[in-house]
């Protein structure tokens, strides 16, 4: 019976932190927070923030601690949701490591500051990183890809995209957020119809703006909905 509880693997957490734009990337770019590893294995390679869970920590507590230690970014008020668990043999050359990943979608992510076992921390274009499968250490390319796909799905089913707009926004500005996260162009008329007909998604303010160019556009604010019914399906999934 005792053998069943013998620890035969290390437990770790990894974080996929996504935002729009960064110092080295325009605001119309989906970006990921990365750190450069100080120690072997994969010394000098870029990776997702994360590390080993201490014996007295929960997984979520470890995620918050490691994000702060490696990037200087506090996650106390950041919504972290579990993404997936990765435990394939050989994913870490040091031995068997089972890692639970967390996803955060963060507007206005602060500039990171490297610490702990990271020599650098930066916000990179997710598309650029995913285009090079050998760029990240361990299996972090797969984890990042899974995180981007989860984020895209969340934009289908929740009004999260409004958090990446200003307090008041036009439908065109909201559409651009969707286009950046989904990585595809969206038909403006269909999008406008879906947004304004989905209960609780957005609310008209009664004001207009010309910042999109052309005729004055109606300004909206985020509505009270926490889920989109029907969902805003991606063009390729429609």
């Amino acid at each position: 019976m005792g053998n069943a509880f013998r620890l035969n693997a290390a437990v770790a957490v990894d974080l996929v932190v996504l935002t729009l734009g960064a110092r080295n990337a325009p605001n119309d770019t989906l970006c990921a927070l990365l750190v450069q590893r100080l120690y072997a294995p994969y010394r000098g390679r870029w990776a997702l923030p994360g590390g080993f869970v201490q014996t007295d920590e929960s997984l979520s507590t470890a995620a918050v601690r490691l994000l702060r230690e490696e990037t200087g970014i506090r996650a106390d008020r950041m919504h972290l949701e579990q993404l997936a668990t990765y435990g394939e043999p050989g994913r870490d050359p040091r031995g068997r490591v089972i890692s639970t990943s967390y996803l955060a979608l963060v507007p206005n992510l602060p500039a990171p500051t490297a610490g702990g076992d990271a020599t650098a921390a930066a916000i990179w274009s997710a598309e650029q990183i995913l285009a090079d499968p050998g760029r990240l250490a361990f299996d972090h390319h797969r984890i990042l890809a899974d995180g981007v796909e989860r984020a895209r799905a969340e934009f289908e089913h929740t009004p999260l995209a409004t958090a990446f707009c200003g307090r008041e926004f036009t439908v065109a500005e909201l559409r651009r957020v969707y286009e950046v996260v989904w990585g595809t162009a969206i038909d403006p008329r269909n999008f406008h119809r879906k947004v304004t007909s989905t209960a609780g998604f957005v609310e008209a303010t009664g004001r207009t703006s010309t910042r999109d160019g052309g005729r004055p556009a109606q300004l909206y604010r985020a509505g009270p909905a926490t889920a989109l019914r029907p969902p805003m399906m991606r063009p390729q999934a429609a």
Side-chain angles (χ1 to χ4, degrees):
M1 184 68 177
N3 290 338
F5 294 95
R6 182 177 299 164
L7 183 64
N8 62 0
V11 180
V13 293
D14 294 299
L15 294 103
V16 179
V17 181
L18 302 177
T19 190
L20 297 188
R23 185 172 61 181
N24 64 342
N27 288 334
D28 60 351
T29 303
L30 180 63
C31 295
L33 176 63
L34 301 176
V35 297
Q36 192 172 35
R37 290 182 56 79
L38 175 60
Y39 302 115
Y42 302 108
R43 180 178 181 180
R45 290 272 291 277
W46 289 92
L48 298 172
F52 293 111
V53 178
Q54 297 175 355
T55 56
D56 59 347
E57 285 184 314
S58 67
L59 296 176
S60 59
T61 299
V64 170
R65 172 181 60 81
L66 288 161
L67 184 64
R68 183 181 67 252
E69 288 179 355
E70 293 193 335
T71 71
I73 295 176
R74 299 184 64 88
D76 309 67
R77 299 182 181 179
M78 188 183 297
H79 175 65
L80 295 175
E81 64 176 79
Q82 285 195 15
L83 174 64
T85 297
Y86 302 84
E88 290 79 357
R91 63 179 300 272
D92 190 315
R94 293 168 293 188
R96 188 69 185 272
V97 177
I98 297 174
S99 180
T100 296
S101 61
Y102 283 83
L103 172 66
L105 297 164
V106 187
N108 305 314
L109 186 69
T113 303
D117 59 359
T119 59
I123 302 171
W124 290 90
S125 162
E127 180 181 11
Q128 177 185 353
I129 296 299
L130 291 176
D132 181 4
R135 185 74 175 272
L136 298 183
F138 306 104
D139 55 355
H140 289 189
H141 180 274
R142 174 189 173 188
I143 299 175
L144 176 59
D146 290 348
V148 169
E149 177 56 31
R150 171 72 69 83
R152 289 171 172 168
E154 292 207 2
F155 271 48
E156 292 180 335
H157 296 278
T158 75
L160 180 60
T162 59
F164 291 84
C165 298
R167 181 173 297 179
E168 295 183 350
F169 50 86
T170 66
V171 172
E173 290 168 343
L174 181 63
R175 186 183 77 246
R176 186 56 188 152
V177 172
Y178 271 93
E179 289 179 332
V180 170
V181 173
W182 284 350
T184 186
I186 300 172
D187 180 77
R189 291 186 178 181
N190 286 340
F191 182 81
H192 191 285
R193 175 180 54 81
K194 291 178 181 178
V195 167
T196 56
S197 64
T198 300
F201 190 2
V202 297
E203 297 177 337
T205 66
R207 290 181 288 277
T208 60
S209 171
T210 58
R211 59 177 176 258
D212 291 333
R215 293 181 299 177
Q218 177 72 56
L219 285 169
Y220 294 86
R221 56 175 170 260
T226 57
L228 300 182
R229 298 185 179 90
M232 296 283 295
M233 301 306 292
R234 280 171 274 181
Q236 65 268 30

